Amino acid sequence: MEPTYTHTLENCSSAISVPLAAYFSCEVKNRIVEETLLYRFESAKPESIDITVADFDGVLYHISNPDGDKGKIRVSISLKFYEDLKLHGAEGLLKRIYGDYLVAPEAGNDISIQFDYEHLPENKADWAAKTAMLKRNCFAAVFEKYFELQAKGGEKTTAIIHYRDKETMYVSALKDRVTVIFSTVFTDDDDIVIGKVFMQEFKERRGSGTAPQVLFYHKEPPQELAGTDALTGDNVGYITFVLLPRHYKDEKARDNTIDLIHTFRDYLHYHIKCSKAYLHSRMRARTAALLKVLNRARPEAKNVEKKTASGRTFVRK
């Protein structure tokens, strides 16, 4: 069984009271980019296109025709943290994956991939999916680098990726393991409470024997981050994944681990919001049921005939 944290989080259902069907893993590729490229690749004739697609972590895709040339289609991506990734070999990894389709970045973007309608790749579906994984492949560079460093005996330096405002990912390679630490900021008080429950379950339960160990720290960063710019505060949490060599022993295991772990922050906050929505819907349903009970318990008014001092009668309704 490949390492996965999906099963671990499913065990939280009793504590959070959310149906298991609500849990899912975030897609590692952008479906809009993939479907757009597939449609364009299969079109009978080239058409003009200019689409901007938003992704998690402030990432933006731009699909367009370079210089208005309908015979070419260009996919560009903008990442606020790309300079951090470049320090760990992102450019080399992208060149290895995309080859000659990688072109000079479009203005305002970090990476661009370009296709010519007259020389489209033979396997169009694979290339559409591969292009839609551009963000994932940028992240993969830092993980692959530290997996290799661990195999060579470890590395003293730590990779620091500021993937969101006030939120950071730290990757380090020791002699026997690779540790990945996410810092995350909970914007609402409710998020802190539910997030702590989720992370406590991650820490205490293991969904499978091969799942990586997970540690959670609230308010204060773990000791591994001493001397860094790690934030502290009531709304700050740190999640540590301890990856052992079996989690990246071959290409399949490595790719699966990278797919899962680089989307973890989005995965966590998505389910926190789903939990809140579910709890609110249950509270509204309970309130509606109680109102029905109260309405049924209201006594019915009875018609009572009364007489005045002069002998006249009237009915009180």
Side-chain angles (χ1 to χ4, degrees):
M1 184 183 292
E2 298 298 336
T4 174
Y5 52 73
T6 303
H7 301 295
T8 309
L9 189 52
E10 286 179 349
N11 291 331
C12 303
S13 59
S14 59
I16 302 296
S17 301
V18 181
L20 293 183
Y23 293 113
F24 84 113
S25 295
C26 298
E27 288 186 295
V28 298
K29 56 187 177 182
N30 189 295
R31 185 177 296 185
I32 297 176
V33 173
E34 180 183 23
E35 293 180 353
T36 300
L37 286 177
L38 275 176
Y39 175 77
R40 296 291 172 174
F41 288 166
E42 301 295 339
S43 296
K45 63 178 182 178
E47 299 177 2
S48 61
I49 184 172
D50 188 1
I51 300 175
T52 300
V53 182
D55 206 332
F56 293 115
D57 306 320
V59 173
L60 291 175
Y61 286 91
H62 185 219
I63 308 175
S64 62
N65 305 118
D67 301 320
D69 184 355
K70 295 182 181 180
K72 297 177 181 178
I73 185 169
R74 179 175 60 194
V75 181
S76 302
I77 188 173
S78 171
L79 306 95
K80 296 179 180 178
F81 48 91
Y82 185 64
E83 291 301 318
D84 292 339
L85 297 174
K86 283 175 65 176
L87 298 175
H88 302 285
E91 288 183 325
L93 184 142
L94 295 175
K95 185 67 177 176
R96 187 183 79 211
I97 295 175
Y98 299 104
D100 294 336
Y101 292 107
L102 204 64
V103 297
E106 178 186 3
N109 291 271
D110 298 296
I111 308 152
S112 291
I113 298 172
Q114 186 170 295
F115 299 96
D116 190 326
Y117 278 103
E118 295 182 357
H119 304 92
L120 289 175
E122 293 183 4
N123 197 330
K124 299 175 183 177
D126 283 354
W127 273 98
K130 193 182 296 187
T131 304
M133 294 175 65
L134 191 51
K135 175 193 169 189
R136 179 267 183 204
N137 290 331
C138 290
F139 263 109
V142 64
F143 293 112
E144 290 192 5
K145 173 183 175 180
Y146 277 80
F147 292 162
E148 292 176 3
L149 289 173
Q150 187 279 321
K152 295 177 181 178
E155 170 66 32
K156 294 182 179 179
T157 61
T158 298
I160 302 177
I161 311 298
H162 299 91
Y163 66 100
R164 293 177 69 97
D165 293 339
K166 298 183 179 180
E167 298 188 50
T168 309
M169 179 181 74
Y170 305 86
V171 185
S172 58
L174 304 178
K175 291 183 179 180
D176 58 345
R177 63 188 182 276
V178 171
T179 60
V180 181
I181 303 174
F182 290 93
S183 72
T184 187
V185 176
F186 300 105
T187 54
D188 298 327
D189 292 340
D190 294 341
D191 290 2
I192 299 174
V193 176
I194 298 176
K196 286 176 67 175
V197 174
F198 267 85
M199 298 318 306
Q200 192 63 32
E201 291 292 330
F202 265 101
K203 182 178 179 180
E204 295 179 357
R205 302 194 188 191
R206 301 286 291 278
S208 70
T210 60
Q213 181 184 9
V214 180
L215 304 173
F216 175 62
Y217 304 87
H218 181 226
K219 298 183 182 180
E220 297 290 337
Q223 293 182 352
E224 295 95 322
L225 301 184
T228 66
D229 58 353
L231 295 176
T232 60
D234 292 338
N235 64 335
V236 178
Y238 288 88
I239 307 99
T240 300
F241 287 89
V242 180
L243 303 177
L244 301 177
R246 67 170 179 266
H247 297 135
Y248 44 88
K249 62 183 178 180
D250 52 39
E251 183 177 357
K252 182 180 179 181
R254 181 197 64 198
D255 289 345
N256 183 60
T257 298
I258 294 173
D259 289 348
L260 290 171
I261 205 164
H262 94 278
T263 59
F264 174 74
R265 189 268 176 199
D266 305 317
Y267 177 91
L268 171 64
H269 282 267
Y270 171 84
H271 287 299
I272 289 175
K273 290 176 173 58
C274 283
S275 298
K276 291 170 68 176
Y278 179 73
L279 292 172
H280 290 165
S281 67
R282 290 295 300 271
M283 287 189 289
R284 285 193 293 269
R286 182 61 175 163
T287 300
L290 290 173
L291 287 173
K292 290 180 180 179
V293 173
L294 290 174
N295 289 333
R296 288 197 299 267
R298 183 183 299 171
E300 296 182 0
K302 295 181 180 180
N303 294 335
V304 179
E305 187 176 287
K306 299 236 177 191
K307 289 189 176 182
T308 64
S310 61
R312 293 181 181 181
T313 62
F314 69 90
V315 176
R316 177 176 293 175
K317 296 182 180 179

